[in-house]
């Protein structure tokens, strides 16, 4: 079993997806090892609850196995996973009672290590460093507005109210922020 | 990458599209531009990828190890979404045209295509402010709902079954619960089963096998012999498989272990008239 996983470490995301859709469970396991941290960190950020984030992580990879929703010609697997995770996390967030939300904000979070291959971890973390570096290059307001929109699911009007800034200004910050971020990440995305 | 850089206002619109904050006028302008310059789609995709890459910057944490184990365990019982080896994965244009052309086919391939186009639509924008996306989404959802309806019926039936099973387990866990065994009369010899009852409790569970399904308008009735008088305990029908698994509520608590089942032609019987098909032993 371990040999089979090792062979697949060198495969591209698309090769693994094709294999997975032919019923290859090891291919899914390899994709899990490659991207579970990305899915989990995003789920945890939005849900602020370790158990729910773990639950959602499993949900997302099960969806990858069961559904043809991901199509390689429409974008990277990485962006599909984060988009799906974000969407489901925000859905779950919205269906919570406000009392629960209050309690969860103060719950202790204990991140744990999983036994993923260090090679894959390095490659995810290399991307992470680039994205972190790119974000620090953004003007504060642009970064702030992007993060509020992405992680909190706030609309532009809600953000405008939250920051006490005009809607037009908020739109300008977020659009410029996205464009600047894209420019910073140009080499990474190619 | 692209050889040309679109002028600033256009870049602004592309960014707004990905963020989901375009006004209807802005949407119109952008759609016209996208039609005239299809190469803009590559730019659009790049911006989508940028936004979707934001979570990389979050602190590196890993899910607990058991998530992986449970996932790999679960997929042994769940079929993967199938594309045959060597078949090209569906292209974007194919997915779009299938989404807008209603089809009667309800095979397995249809469902994932709709989910694919929905996911793509959701992936294009953050908010629901974009009216054009809302229209597409409503159409896609209507199609999904059409496919869900029969599945919902199955689910409701399965839930009812599960509720009865849970009741049965609860009853069997009580020490005073009794089982009355029933056997088929001549002509219904293969029929067999039990009625589970708890003294003092008006609820009984009827669990039978090999009872033939009835014509519409016909019912099986359970009767209890109370001091010579036959009291109706309830009515039910049999499934195609010949199984009966129902909970009945008796009008009064009964201690009688003399039970019988008849076939009747009316939903409001007060005394047995039809043929007796099953009876309790001794």
């Amino acid at each position: 079993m371990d040999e089979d996983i090792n062979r697949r470490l060198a495969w591209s995301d698309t090769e693994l997806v094709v294999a997975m859709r032919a019923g290859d469970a090891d291919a899914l396991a390899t994709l899990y090892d490659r991207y579970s941290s990305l899915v989990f960190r995003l789920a945890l950020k939005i849900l602020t609850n370790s158990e729910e984030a773990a639950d959602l992580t499993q949900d997302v990879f099960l969806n990858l196995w069961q559904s043809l929703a991901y199509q390689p010609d429409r974008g990277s697997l990485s962006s599909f996973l984060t988009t799906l995770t974000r969407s489901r996390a925000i859905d779950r967030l919205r269906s919570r009672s406000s009392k629960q939300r209050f309690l969860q904000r103060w719950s202790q979070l204990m991140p744990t290590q999983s036994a993923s291959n260090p090679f894959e971890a390095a490659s995810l973390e290399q991307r992470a460093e680039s994205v972190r570096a790119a974000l620090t290059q953004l003007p504060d307001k642009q970064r702030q507005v992007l993060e509020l929109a992405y992680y909190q699911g706030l609309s532009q009007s809600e953000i405008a109210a939250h920051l006490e800034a005009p809607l037009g200004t908020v739109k300008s910050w977020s659009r410029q922020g996205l464009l600047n971020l894209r420019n910073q990440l140009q080499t990474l995305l190619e | 990458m692209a050889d040309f850089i679109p002028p600033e206002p256009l870049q602004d619109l592309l960014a707004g599209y990905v963020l989901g904050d375009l006004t209807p006028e802005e949407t119109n302008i952008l759609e016209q531009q996208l039609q005239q310059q299809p190469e803009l789609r590559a730019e659009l995709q790049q911006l989508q990828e940028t936004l979707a890459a934001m979570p990389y910057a979050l602190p590196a944490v890993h899910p607990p190890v058991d998530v992986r184990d449970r996932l790999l365990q679960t997929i042994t019982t769940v079929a993967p979404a199938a594309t045959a080896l060597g078949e090209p994965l569906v292209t974007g244009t194919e997915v779009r045209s299938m989404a807008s052309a209603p089809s009667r086919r309800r095979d397995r391939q249809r469902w994932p295509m709709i989910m694919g186009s929905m996911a793509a639509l959701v992936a294009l924008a953050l908010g629901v402010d974009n009216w054009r996306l809302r229209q597409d989404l409503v159409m896609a959802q209507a199609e999904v709902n059409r496919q869900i309806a029969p599945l919902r019926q199955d689910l409701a039936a399965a839930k009812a079954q599960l509720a009865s099973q849970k009741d049965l387990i609860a009853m069997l866990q009580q020490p005073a619960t009794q089982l009355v065994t029933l056997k088929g009369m001549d002509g219904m010899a293969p029929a067999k089963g039990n009625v589970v009852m708890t003294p003092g409790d008006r609820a009984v569970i009827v669990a039978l096998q090999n009872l033939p399904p009835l014509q519409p308008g016909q019912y099986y009735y359970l009767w209890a012999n109370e001091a010579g008088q036959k009291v109706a305990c309830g009515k039910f029908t049999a499934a195609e498989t010949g199984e009966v698994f129902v909970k009945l509520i008796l009008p009064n608590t009964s201690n009688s272990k003399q039970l019988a089942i008849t076939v009747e032609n009316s939903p409001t019987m007060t005394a047995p008239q039809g043929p007796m098909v099953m009876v309790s032993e001794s």
Side-chain angles (χ1 to χ4, degrees), chain B residues 43 45 76-77 81 104-105 110 143 146 173 212 234 236 239 267:
Chain B
E43 188 81 3
Q45 195 161 329
T76 62
T77 62
R104 293 262 158 76
R105 284 172 45 228
R110 183 90 181 95
E143 180 59 37
R146 264 200 290 281
Q173 281 168 342
F236 50 91

Side-chain angles (χ1 to χ4, degrees), chain A residues 5 14 18 20-23 25 28-30 32-33 35-38 40-42 44-45 54-55 57-58 61-62 65-69 71-76 78-80 82-83 86-87 111-116 121 124-125 127-128 131-132 135 146-147 149-151 155-156 171 174-176 178-179 181-182 185-186 189-190, chain B residues 1 8 11-23 26 43 45-68 70-72 74-76 78-86 89-93 95-96 108-109 112-113 115-117 119-126 129:
Chain A
I5 300 253
T14 302
V18 171
M20 179 186 72
R21 288 184 177 160
L28 177 68
T30 306
Y32 179 88
D33 292 338
Y35 287 116
S36 58
S37 173
L38 180 64
F40 184 71
R41 70 182 67 174
L42 174 56
L44 188 62
K45 168 74 177 178
D55 204 49
T57 302
Q58 180 169 359
F61 282 94
L62 190 57
W65 171 259
Q66 278 186 303
S67 153
L68 287 175
Q71 296 293 326
D73 65 311
R74 288 190 162 269
S76 70
S78 170
S79 75
F80 172 79
T82 58
T83 304
R86 177 182 178 275
S87 159
T112 54
Q113 278 308 115
S114 80
S116 53
L124 195 93
E125 283 314 307
R127 292 185 200 171
V131 178
R132 280 177 202 134
L135 281 167
L146 273 183
E147 287 177 350
Y150 191 82
Y151 294 120
S155 70
Q156 304 280 304
K171 276 195 179 186
S174 61
R175 292 180 186 185
Q176 279 308 306
L178 183 60
L179 291 167
L181 187 60
R182 186 273 311 269
L185 290 176
Q186 198 75 38
L189 291 171
E190 263 160 16
Chain B
M1 212 47 207
E8 277 192 24
Q11 290 227 346
D12 198 66
L13 289 183
L14 289 170
Y17 191 36
V18 173
L19 292 164
D21 66 24
L22 291 185
T23 64
E26 288 177 320
E43 188 81 3
Q45 195 161 329
Q46 206 184 36
L47 287 171
Q48 286 162 10
E49 291 283 331
T50 302
L51 189 62
M54 277 184 56
Y56 275 99
L58 294 171
V61 287
H62 294 263
V65 189
D66 68 285
V67 174
R68 188 183 194 275
R70 276 189 286 125
L71 173 72
L72 297 179
T74 305
I75 66 173
T76 62
V78 173
T83 32
L85 268 177
L89 293 167
V90 174
T91 66
T93 47
V95 174
R96 265 198 292 281
R108 248 194 122 240
Q109 290 298 95
M113 296 308 167
M115 291 305 289
S117 73
L121 289 169
V122 169
L124 278 179
L126 269 187
D129 291 336

Side-chain angles (χ1 to χ4, degrees), chain B residues 223-232 254 256-258 270-272:
Chain B
W223 305 94
N225 191 343
E226 306 258 0
Q229 197 169 15
K230 305 278 193 326
V231 178
S254 166
S256 172
K257 291 195 214 99
Q258 290 176 349
T270 51

Side-chain angles (χ1 to χ4, degrees), chain B residues 6-194:
Chain B
E8 277 192 24
L10 198 51
Q11 290 227 346
D12 198 66
L13 289 183
L14 289 170
Y17 191 36
V18 173
L19 292 164
D21 66 24
L22 291 185
T23 64
E25 300 82 40
E26 288 177 320
T27 307
N28 278 332
I29 296 171
L30 182 59
E31 284 182 350
Q32 276 174 28
Q33 288 298 313
L34 282 170
Q35 271 168 15
Q36 287 168 19
Q37 303 176 53
E39 56 271 24
L40 283 179
R41 293 197 182 270
E43 188 81 3
L44 194 60
Q45 195 161 329
Q46 206 184 36
L47 287 171
Q48 286 162 10
E49 291 283 331
T50 302
L51 189 62
M54 277 184 56
Y56 275 99
L58 294 171
V61 287
H62 294 263
V65 189
D66 68 285
V67 174
R68 188 183 194 275
D69 294 337
R70 276 189 286 125
L71 173 72
L72 297 179
Q73 179 64 32
T74 305
I75 66 173
T76 62
T77 62
V78 173
T83 32
L85 268 177
E87 252 179 37
L89 293 167
V90 174
T91 66
T93 47
E94 277 179 43
V95 174
R96 265 198 292 281
S97 66
M98 283 188 81
S100 55
S103 156
R104 293 262 158 76
R105 284 172 45 228
R106 295 209 305 217
D107 57 278
R108 248 194 122 240
Q109 290 298 95
R110 183 90 181 95
W111 168 278
M113 296 308 167
I114 294 296
M115 291 305 289
S117 73
M118 265 182 69
L121 289 169
V122 169
L124 278 179
L126 269 187
V128 292
D129 291 336
N130 190 317
W131 63 273
R132 179 55 181 260
L133 284 175
R134 267 209 303 273
Q135 284 183 336
D136 290 343
L137 197 58
V138 164
M139 271 175 57
Q141 272 184 338
E143 180 59 37
V144 167
N145 285 339
R146 264 200 290 281
Q147 302 208 11
I148 283 181
L151 295 175
R152 278 211 176 114
Q153 285 173 348
D154 290 341
L155 182 62
K159 277 184 171 168
Q161 173 101 341
L162 183 63
S164 296
Q165 285 169 346
K166 283 183 172 164
D167 289 334
L168 178 63
I169 291 170
M171 284 181 84
L172 291 172
Q173 281 168 342
Q174 293 177 35
T177 296
Q178 294 158 338
L179 238 64
V180 176
T181 305
L182 297 170
K183 282 173 84 159
M185 306 279 292
D186 308 329
M188 286 283 209
K192 58 180 181 175
N194 296 294

